[in-house]
Amino acid sequence: MAPRAIALVDCNNFYVSCERVFRPDLEGVPVGVLSNNDGCFVARSSELKALGVKMGQPLFEVKDLVRRHRVRVFSSNYVLYGDMSQRVTECLRGFTPALENYSIDESFLDLSGFHGRDLSAYASEIRSTVKMWTGIPTCIGIASSKTLAKLANHAAKKSLMGEGGVCDLTHEGDREQVLHMVPVEEVWGIGRRSAEKLNMLGVKTAADLRSMDPRQARKLLTVVGERLVYELRGVACLPLDLAPQPVKGTAVTRSFGEPVKTWEPMREAVASYASRAAEKLRGQGAHGLAAESLQVFMHTSPFRSGPSYANAATVELQPPTNDSFALIAAATAAAKRIWREGFQFSKAGVVLSGLVPVERVQPDLLQAADRQRGSRLMAAMDAVNARMGRDTLRSAATMGRAWRMRQESRSPSYTTRLTDVPVVRA
DNA sequence: TCTGGGGTCCTAGGACCC
DNA sequence: TCTGGGGTCCTAGGACCC
């Protein structure tokens, strides 16, 4: 059997690149995209990285630097990024149908059938096509396992093996070289805690981890660590997920734009999150999913002094449902149970679990007519909102404003809102 | 005093990812 | 003044059953 060849295509500084597609004047200057609430940096252009701004760094810590270097700062525009992501994925599907869409900016491609051809040249062709069709720059790493493909991608990004944005580690010599160059904490699946443990044992590089006794890796890092050792040896343990699996749970959680001190804005926020969570459920799978269980949590800021409080309450939903009004009612009741006066709440959330396809939900004869009416109403609401924009139609319970998040510099919805589409004059 | 053993299911919490 | 959000997988430990 021919060895496997897996390519990882990763978009460079994805959110920044999305903003640049519609703003060519942003090329060559420092650009950053902020998390929800304009809290911290979640994407940085290479120029911003060079200025020393770290991933996840709070904006307020680098205010001066941002002003001095005229850093272009954007609030996150997930509707735009989601749409651009789909375009990139569609473009990649033109090269192989065997594709796993791993995250908003990454896909694994099975190129096993292309062995014999020059994989690097093929990858370069993929890169230039994606750039031409979508405007998004990418890097591509190729190897015989997912973990090695990740490593190859890292090498491509850092130009560890020549320039050109492509790194092919299917040949042993190149692979050895890169394994010795990459510190163990850069390996996919090794986080801070695991890196600390490994370093104590003198395991410093990806090559060290590769050479570890798999049983020892398992003792130290559970089966995850053992698998990693094999993956680094080129033995693929992580299959490509060609068909997206249904999600097992879904959540809508937000920090507030300003602290919430009274029940009314908390009630509105929780109702609004429940409503959004219900929409997400209805959009999943062929006919939507229903939740068996709903949890609400709220807490004060972990970063501020003053009285602190954190709590959560869970409600079983019988029968399972994705009806906005049912979820709003359940979430509001749960929130009421854990609500306490006298605190400054910084965040709350609604978490849904036990997700089942709606068609598998046992119909309850007594309520069947009611529920059918409900699902027709939900479908009508979703249709209007899809056409006219999110929240055109929503429950009155979600109307408040005080708790909403800060978004001071969001770019237009260039690709999804007709009034925001760029106009070309020729 | 002594008071089994083994299976399953569920949940909470840790670690990691993007 | 100002510190993201939404997922996954794994394990340990408790409840429960025979």
Side-chain angles (χ1 to χ4, degrees):
Chain A
M1 201 172 77
R4 290 225 293 169
I6 297 169
L8 175 64
V9 183
D10 189 321
C11 301
N12 303 345
N13 322 322
F14 182 56
Y15 299 167
V16 167
S17 296
C18 289
E19 300 291 348
R20 278 178 168 166
V21 166
F22 300 93
R23 291 276 308 274
D25 59 299
L26 297 174
E27 292 295 339
V29 301
V31 183
V33 176
L34 299 174
S35 64
N36 274 334
N37 248 333
D38 293 347
C40 38
F41 284 94
V42 293
R44 304 153 296 150
S45 72
S46 56
E47 299 81 4
L48 187 54
K49 289 175 190 169
L51 289 175
V53 172
K54 302 280 176 240
M55 180 69 176
Q57 185 154 32
L59 173 62
F60 74 87
E61 282 181 12
V62 290
K63 268 272 169 158
D64 273 357
L65 184 140
V66 163
R67 196 168 327 113
R68 267 204 321 279
H69 291 89
R70 298 198 52 232
V71 177
R72 279 59 161 192
V73 174
F74 289 84
S75 305
S76 38
N77 185 346
Y78 288 107
V79 177
L80 173 66
Y81 311 148
D83 185 64
M84 293 300 290
S85 172
Q86 274 189 31
R87 291 166 193 239
V88 171
T89 306
E90 284 320 303
C91 183
L92 293 175
R93 272 188 213 287
F95 289 90
T96 171
L99 172 153
E100 174 187 342
N101 196 199
Y102 176 69
S103 76
I104 193 163
D105 69 339
E106 289 166 278
S107 289
F108 288 102
L109 275 57
D110 189 351
L111 299 185
S112 303
F114 298 85
H115 253 311
R117 293 179 60 169
D118 181 344
L119 287 175
S120 288
Y122 193 56
S124 294
E125 193 187 323
I126 295 176
R127 283 189 81 217
S128 55
T129 307
V130 171
K131 182 75 170 78
M132 186 164 62
W133 288 9
T134 69
I136 300 290
T138 56
C139 281
I140 302 184
I142 307 165
S144 59
S145 70
K146 281 182 160 182
T147 306
L148 281 174
K150 270 279 195 183
L151 197 79
N153 193 280
H154 174 84
K157 235 180 270 175
K158 305 254 167 179
S159 301
L160 298 185
M161 297 266 309
E163 306 286 321
V166 172
C167 177
D168 176 1
L169 294 186
T170 53
H171 299 292
E172 192 184 348
D174 304 332
R175 188 163 64 240
E176 275 306 301
Q177 219 179 314
V178 168
L179 280 166
H180 280 94
M181 276 192 277
V182 176
V184 74
E185 59 266 27
E186 301 289 341
V187 172
W188 189 41
I190 298 297
R192 205 172 46 85
R193 304 305 295 267
S194 303
E196 275 169 23
K197 291 185 197 172
L198 288 167
N199 278 320
M200 298 234 288
L201 292 179
V203 177
K204 309 273 190 195
T205 67
D208 294 339
L209 180 58
R210 181 275 322 268
S211 302
M212 220 176 152
D213 179 349
R215 286 164 303 183
Q216 195 193 3
R218 185 181 189 128
K219 262 176 95 174
L220 197 69
L221 307 173
T222 79
V223 297
V224 177
E226 185 182 19
R227 264 198 309 250
L228 232 38
V229 170
Y230 285 114
E231 281 260 319
L232 287 174
R233 294 176 181 187
V235 180
C237 306
L238 304 168
L240 280 191
D241 235 332
L242 300 183
Q245 303 300 306
V247 289
K248 312 208 158 139
T250 194
V252 177
T253 71
R254 296 276 182 282
S255 298
F256 302 127
E258 52 191 78
V260 164
K261 302 170 199 153
T262 55
W263 167 246
E264 189 54 23
M266 176 63 81
R267 184 190 63 73
E268 286 164 4
V270 167
S272 169
Y273 302 162
S275 169
R276 179 74 195 110
E279 281 173 28
K280 282 165 80 172
L281 279 190
R282 297 196 294 269
Q284 284 284 330
H287 306 98
L289 300 176
E292 289 175 341
S293 163
L294 176 151
Q295 184 184 62
V296 170
F297 72 83
M298 61 182 76
H299 61 70
T300 53
S301 172
F303 302 106
R304 293 173 59 143
S305 52
S308 74
Y309 171 74
N311 207 346
T314 305
V315 186
E316 299 309 315
L317 302 164
Q318 209 43 251
T321 182
N322 62 23
D323 183 284
S324 295
F325 296 104
L327 293 180
I328 288 171
T332 309
K336 186 91 195 171
R337 291 213 318 261
I338 53 175
W339 170 257
R340 297 281 182 283
E341 291 288 339
F343 295 97
Q344 304 211 8
F345 287 96
S346 69
K347 182 173 177 175
V350 170
V351 183
L352 302 176
S353 54
L355 306 191
V356 292
V358 277
E359 59 271 26
R360 287 233 318 268
V361 174
Q362 290 294 321
D364 174 333
L365 288 180
L366 278 177
Q367 299 169 359
D370 239 24
R371 287 172 56 210
Q372 223 178 38
R373 240 189 332 272
S375 73
R376 280 206 302 270
L377 174 58
M378 291 302 115
M381 251 173 70
D382 290 342
V384 169
N385 288 335
R387 257 183 83 84
M388 313 291 284
R390 185 177 290 177
D391 278 355
T392 302
L393 228 49
R394 59 196 162 105
S395 161
T398 68
M399 296 300 262
R401 285 254 137 228
W403 50 275
R404 284 180 195 278
M405 57 185 186
R406 268 189 304 277
Q407 279 208 319
E408 287 176 357
S409 23
R410 196 172 72 185
S411 53
S413 302
Y414 298 110
T415 61
T416 56
R417 189 177 286 269
L418 202 54
T419 52
D420 289 354
V421 169
V423 177
V424 177
R425 299 182 200 285

